[in-house]
Amino acid sequence: MHELSLAANILDIISEKAPSKAAIRKVNVTVGPLAGIWTESLQFGFDELAREQGFKNARLCITKTEARLRCTACNNEYSADGLMEVCPSCGSLERTVLSGAEFTVDSIEMEE
């Protein structure tokens, strides 16, 4: 379960930016469907590690994006839930990933 190590990395990142652990209220992240991350496991890992490490009020807010692919056979651009979906126009598996593999820490909200 690599989501636990990802949660630990998020906490490391926010520790560097925050004046105190108690000041952190919300951490906003973006996860794409092609990133290979189970968001429920990430949420669970974050909640447990945050509590354990003294981030008493920190909440993880996950925004999920969609995957956008472009078929290299017919140039059709389409949404997909995973890499095994064929192009809806021509049935090809030849494609370029335009988006959906992202995993970013977007912002941290702290009390003033």
Side-chain angles (χ1 to χ4, degrees), residues 34-76:
L34 306 180
I37 298 170
W38 290 91
T39 56
E40 295 83 5
S41 296
L42 179 64
Q43 184 72 62
F44 177 80
F46 181 90
D47 292 345
E48 290 300 311
L49 289 175
R51 182 183 51 78
E52 197 175 274
Q53 294 180 18
F55 293 91
K56 296 177 182 175
N57 301 311
R59 234 175 15 115
L60 185 65
C61 181
I62 301 171
T63 300
K64 296 180 185 180
T65 63
E66 70 173 11
R68 298 291 303 162
L69 308 174
R70 178 176 294 124
C71 178
T72 55
C74 73
N75 210 33
N76 180 46

Side-chain angles (χ1 to χ4, degrees), residues 5 11 87 91 94 97 104:
S5 64
L11 291 168
C87 173
E94 298 176 34
V97 175
T104 57

Side-chain angles (χ1 to χ4, degrees), residues 13-28:
I13 290 168
I14 64 175
S15 291
E16 295 172 6
K17 304 295 180 191
S20 78
K21 293 179 179 181
I24 297 171
R25 294 287 177 238
K26 187 174 170 185
V27 180
N28 298 299

